[in-house]
Amino acid sequence: MNPALSLLHPYPFEKLAALTQGIVPPGQLSHINLSIGEPKHPAPAFVLEVLQKHMSALGQYPATKGIAPLREAIAHWASARYQLTTAQLNPELHVLPVAGTREALFSIVQAAINPQKPNPTVVMPNPFYQIYEGAALLAGAQPYFLDCSASTDFIPDFAAVDARVWDNCQVLFICSPGNPTGKFLSMECLQALIALADKHDFIIASDECYSELYLNEAQPPVGLLQACQALNRLDFKRCLVFHSLSKRSNLPGLRSGFVAGDAALMAPYLRYRTYQGCALPVPTQWASAAAWQDETHVVENRRAYREKFAQAQEILQPHIALQQPEGGFYFWLKTPSPGVEFARQVFSQCHITLLPGEFLAREGAQGNPGKDYVRMALVADAEQCQEACHRLANFLGNR
Ligand SMILES: Cc1ncc(COP(=O)(O)O)c(C=O)c1O
């Protein structure tokens, strides 16, 4: 087997299972899981209806490129969302459906890394979504971590990175809104990164899977395609964005998202994907097209998260300093004791599972940037989130 497989780290949830193993939480409290980022709001009924209606299409092999109506719906959605006027997305050239962003974030690195260049490197934030690191390791590249801590306002300090790192960089992962920090990258930052990518010849892979979950309805996060538009970069050169229906539309089980951007990258990536064999079933594609064409359910989804964040803040604020995220559905909570210890105690006393921040990060020059944090996903329904916050408030109050 490929020896690089042994380099893969255990997934954060494996570490979490080991942390809580053998602990017997209070029997009278039901378990509330706030560790995993799995949306729990109901899937939109109209999408499920479309899925059902097209079930007979399971009798045909799907094409990797996807059906034209889906690619058109995606191009239309992204053009409206990011005000792409002159930088136009051609559904034939710039868009590919993917089976959720996870597989795409992984496979793009396999397709992109050129092992013949010296020191292939994939640069990524720290803490981060672990797929970025695994993708780099299995492609024979070196992951390079950019710490996101309070001192960098929880976004990578791109300007501090040595030019030699950028020279070796073949793929830069960015994530906005960030998981777990919820931070947005600004238009200025995205434009500066595009200039860096041109100077040092690397691809920017922008993970925007939380882009539709933002707290201020009037301030959606900007995206990399929008930065291309602002620069009049009509070919989206070196830029790829990754979007998903999992969080936007509460369809994590549908396994549906898209990659869009530079046609010169998309064409060889499609060739790669044809061999990998990850075409979306046709009913999934029709259901996805319907989901991308509707915004009403997405507005309602944001409203539900906004309400839960406000409720959590009201209950917890007297006990712990809480920062509302700009986007996403996580609190990145600074803990009064190391995050691992805090998570263990909260599990044993409150029967609530939180994810220790250090499981989402690697040691950097200043230690592990997740060490004093836990990630708390407000994915459960409002009632459960409220109950969890009351238990936490009690726990914090009794410390
Ligand atoms: C930052 C980030 N990127 C990508 C994904 C993958 O999502 P999906 O494959 O459901 O689109 C997740 C899932 O939690 C995530 O947190």
Side-chain angles (χ1 to χ4, degrees):
M1 296 295 277
N2 183 345
L5 283 167
S6 66
L7 302 174
L8 297 179
H9 289 253
Y11 218 57
F13 301 103
E14 287 176 55
K15 295 183 188 173
L16 183 60
L19 179 73
T20 52
Q21 197 180 22
I23 298 176
V24 183
Q28 78 282 10
L29 297 178
S30 61
H31 180 227
I32 303 180
N33 188 355
L34 302 181
S35 68
I36 192 162
E38 182 185 28
K40 299 280 185 215
H41 298 170
F46 73 93
V47 176
L48 304 185
E49 276 164 29
V50 176
L51 185 65
Q52 194 68 40
K53 189 173 135 208
H54 288 275
M55 275 304 172
S56 61
L58 288 178
Q60 71 195 72
Y61 273 122
T64 307
K65 188 171 175 177
I67 57 173
L70 173 57
R71 281 180 283 111
E72 282 156 16
I74 290 169
H76 190 266
W77 177 83
S79 303
R81 167 68 173 83
Y82 295 115
Q83 297 128 46
L84 307 180
T85 48
T86 51
Q88 280 168 12
L89 281 179
N90 180 337
E92 280 301 309
L93 301 176
H94 295 121
V95 174
L96 275 180
V98 297
T101 46
R102 182 186 181 124
E103 65 90 351
L105 293 162
F106 180 82
S107 59
I108 189 61
V109 179
Q110 315 313 308
I113 290 293
N114 179 350
Q116 279 149 16
K117 286 192 179 170
N119 308 317
T121 300
V122 177
V123 179
M124 62 195 72
N126 186 33
F128 59 101
Y129 182 52
Q130 194 156 313
I131 297 301
Y132 311 155
E133 178 194 49
L137 293 170
L138 280 180
Q142 199 59 37
Y144 186 92
F145 301 113
L146 306 179
D147 288 0
C148 303
S149 58
S151 66
T152 66
D153 196 24
F154 301 104
I155 56 174
D157 184 358
F158 298 106
V161 178
D162 197 289
R164 274 169 306 186
V165 173
W166 292 128
D167 280 339
N168 290 332
C169 177
Q170 295 191 31
V171 177
L172 163 67
F173 275 116
I174 54 177
C175 184
S176 176
N179 170 8
T181 62
K183 278 279 175 179
F184 293 173
L185 296 181
S186 68
M187 175 62 98
E188 296 69 36
C189 174
L190 294 177
Q191 293 188 8
L193 291 177
I194 291 172
L196 261 182
D198 281 345
K199 185 167 170 203
H200 298 276
D201 188 21
F202 60 80
I203 296 168
I204 307 177
S206 184
D207 181 352
E208 301 180 0
C209 78
Y210 291 95
S211 69
E212 302 318 289
L213 304 184
Y214 43 90
L215 269 278
N216 182 344
E217 195 64 27
Q219 276 174 13
V222 294
L224 190 64
L225 298 180
Q226 205 170 352
C228 289
Q229 170 67 61
L231 293 167
N232 212 26
R233 192 178 180 90
L234 305 187
D235 55 3
F236 309 105
K237 198 168 165 64
R238 300 183 212 286
C239 293
L240 295 174
V241 298
F242 296 75
H243 280 263
S244 176
L245 290 176
S246 299
K247 330 285 180 188
R248 173 187 180 270
S249 301
N250 301 313
L251 291 164
L254 189 66
R255 309 313 300 133
S256 179
F258 70 83
V259 180
D262 186 351
L265 303 175
M266 296 300 280
Y269 183 43
L270 171 58
R271 195 177 321 137
Y272 175 90
R273 295 181 62 74
T274 312
Y275 277 82
Q276 178 167 288
C278 44
L280 268 71
V282 175
T284 302
Q285 296 193 49
W286 282 111
S288 304
W292 288 115
Q293 282 165 335
D294 181 76
E295 285 304 318
T296 310
H297 74 283
V298 190
V299 173
E300 166 54 25
N301 201 25
R302 277 196 291 276
R303 190 203 55 73
Y305 281 117
R306 203 172 294 131
E307 215 168 86
K308 290 196 288 185
F309 273 108
Q311 184 185 60
Q313 189 142 32
E314 196 181 306
I315 301 169
L316 289 172
Q317 193 74 70
H319 305 280
I320 194 164
L322 265 190
Q323 183 132 34
Q324 293 257 2
E326 291 176 293
F329 47 48
Y330 304 110
F331 271 125
W332 185 233
L333 198 63
K334 181 142 172 47
T335 47
S337 52
V340 167
E341 194 43 42
F342 185 82
R344 199 201 325 257
Q345 285 178 352
V346 166
F347 183 78
S348 84
Q349 294 183 36
C350 311
H351 209 180
I352 294 171
T353 315
L354 302 170
L355 189 63
E358 72 173 67
F359 293 174
L360 292 163
R362 300 284 173 257
E363 290 288 316
Q366 318 293 328
N368 184 314
K371 184 171 162 291
D372 295 320
Y373 292 84
V374 289
R375 193 186 74 176
M376 177 173 164
L378 289 195
V379 286
D381 64 31
E383 208 175 311
Q384 268 208 324
C385 285
Q386 188 179 29
E387 163 70 16
C389 289
H390 281 304
R391 287 188 207 170
L392 275 175
N394 249 337
F395 168 79
L396 290 162
N398 291 332
R399 275 170 59 87

